[in-house]
Amino acid sequence: MPGMSRGLPPGNPLVVSAFESTLIRQSLLVAGIFLLLLAIWGALVISLRRPSATHLATGAIVGAAGAGAAGTAHDRAETEPAARRFLRIAFASLWIFDSLLGLQTSVPLYMPSRVFEPAAASAPLWVHQVASFAVVVWSYHPIVVSCASVWVGLGIGAWLLLAARGPWSRCAGAASVVWGLTAWVFGESFGGLLAPGASWMFGAPGAALFYCVAGALLTLGDKGWEEGQVGLAITRTAGIFFLLMALLQAWPGRGFWRGDGISQGASGTLVSMLTAMARTPQPHFLSSWITSFASLVGAHGLAVNLAVVVVLSFLGLAYLSERKATLRLAVGASVLVCLADWVLVQDLGFLGGTGTDPNSMIPTLVILVTAYMAITRAGTEVELLSPELELPARLEPDLPQSSVSADIAPGPTWRSRARDHPGYVLRGLCSFGALAVTALGVVPIVGAAVNSHADPIVYQAIDGPPTPIDVAVPNFVLRDQSGGIESLVDLRGKVVVLAFLDPVGVASSRALGHELAQADGLLAAERARVEFVAVDTSPANRSPASLRAFDRAQGLAATENWLFLTGPENRLAALWKAYGIPAGAVQPRSGGVASDAIYVLDTRGTERYRLNVVREPSTEATRASFTGVLAATVQRVMASP
């Protein structure tokens, strides 16, 4: 898959340092946002509690009319259905937990190769193409995207916790749907549903999809929750879901009916999965449990899979029965089965240094328990103070009517409610702060998705930043690809990018030629002040015709500021020696070599920077990063005196 950075170790010190320093800077920004909101809250409370002339004139009358009966109607705490409250807090906690897992220093470099690529490994080609987009974006911008992902999850989690009611809460649910779908499509490759080994036991239809479901449920109005309609909808959907998962598990030819394959000649799908999970870095007691379960499956693969199919079928039928006693039994069985699968098959989901969520079993259980609560507690409520900022200014019909005229004692507004309940304003402002934190993550990710230039950190993690030098280059006179005579003196007044390439037979030369063409394209209008110069390193291919063939193959033939130089072998050998090309590497009867480095010369012909050429790991991301660093170095030399 393109753009992979699998050659970089997860503990690369430059990447780890950049990741940590970026998170620290952004944490200070987040702290500043909430300190500012806290200051605004304090100012509002002081302002609202300062009695106005109108308030002084009417306060005594309202008090005499029944201790502010009209205001009491609007200051009374609103309620949230218990099931909705449980769902909201549980998934808020999951979002925050997932974000904390994103703080692992291995995440910036290993997400593409350890998460995105395996998820799409056995999926159809078009799924690979979708996943490759996420791979390229993350590989090109590992620090930006990994940090931003942390803040998106933290923002949504905090938003769900703080906004219990009203539009703020529904918007938080909608944000969960949007980000969950993004993770499900690009990070989980549609939850692995399209892969031949998809199974409920392994996490299908994807943990992120349950986050989407939870978010969608939180956007619903209270009526459905209070009357149990939401709970019934969840249980009916769960029933169909478990029956489909049972059918998927029982489908022949997918390897789930086999054990360890001693007699069949191949390991079963479940045994293979368990073997891989047992190798994950984790406490010994967990790996021993998984190994023991793998042995059981290996010896009795058919019986184990039959039991799984029967349990899934039972759960499906039980949830479709819509009887409270059966539903209670189904939820209890779901807890036992899901927890067993979470430990013995999914291995808790987040171990090994690259896991960023607890996989699908915990979100599944949260939604099933929510359905049970919504059905069994229909009509009951748990009191919560609403953080909603816009409240209807009307009297409750069951409240005693005041004898005070509406003109004298109008119904309380949000100002009076905020004055009497400061926490109301604080939660509203904190919800806005959570939205700002979410945006702090979303905006950089969108920017990275539309930015086709890889971050310099990708190249620098391998070869470090360009090395400053200050060496005067002796003049040389050679012939270009058109047969004309060129010398270094003729190029004075231009910044020169100097490389050494073999025009025939060396793949690294072809790759470097392509990268030089890309760097030239990045310079745009500044190209007129730059000359890209390559020197032939092949004694056997020194004709201008071979140089022109190379130019055509690499798309350099029409590049006006490109020179490929050749000449007598003695002149070339002098340059090879001056730039450290090993004598044994250039053989008369074989091909030449490509540069180990690129040199950037200023307008006076003095070497100013040396850039190592990326060899291994050479990926699309590292090559794109190299061209960006080269173009930026050229621009730096242009700007220097």
Side-chain angles (χ1 to χ4, degrees), residues 33 39 52 61 143 162 202 219 229 311 366 370 391 408 484 590 601:
I33 290 173
S52 63
I61 301 176
I143 304 301
L162 294 166
F202 298 165
T219 64
Q229 296 171 356
V311 169
V366 170
T370 297
L391 297 172
I408 299 176
S590 66
L601 286 60

Side-chain angles (χ1 to χ4, degrees), residues 500-516 537 550 554 564 592-595 615:
F500 292 82
L501 302 175
D502 174 20
V504 178
V506 178
S508 56
S509 288
R510 295 193 295 272
L512 184 54
H514 180 66
E515 291 161 20
L516 292 175
T537 63
F550 178 90
Q554 304 309 314
F564 201 163
V593 296
S595 295
R615 292 288 182 238

Side-chain angles (χ1 to χ4, degrees), residues 352-432:
T354 57
T356 55
D357 62 63
N359 215 315
S360 63
M361 291 301 154
I362 299 303
T364 300
L365 280 180
V366 170
I367 292 178
L368 294 176
V369 172
T370 297
Y372 178 76
M373 293 177 64
I375 292 174
T376 58
R377 299 191 182 187
T380 62
E381 298 173 336
V382 178
E383 291 190 357
L384 273 177
L385 186 63
S386 171
E388 185 179 356
L389 293 179
E390 295 183 3
L391 297 172
R394 59 178 180 83
L395 293 176
E396 296 290 346
D398 58 340
L399 290 174
Q401 298 298 314
S402 171
S403 61
V404 181
S405 169
D407 293 334
I408 299 176
T413 64
W414 72 269
R415 292 178 62 88
S416 61
R417 180 161 191 170
R419 181 179 61 248
D420 297 333
H421 296 285
Y424 160 75
V425 177
L426 180 61
R427 279 189 292 274
L429 288 174
C430 287
S431 297
F432 179 80

Side-chain angles (χ1 to χ4, degrees), residues 128-146:
H128 272 273
Q129 293 171 342
V130 172
S132 68
F133 175 76
V135 167
V136 169
V137 171
W138 196 295
S139 299
Y140 275 38
H141 312 280
I143 304 301
V144 171
V145 179
S146 54

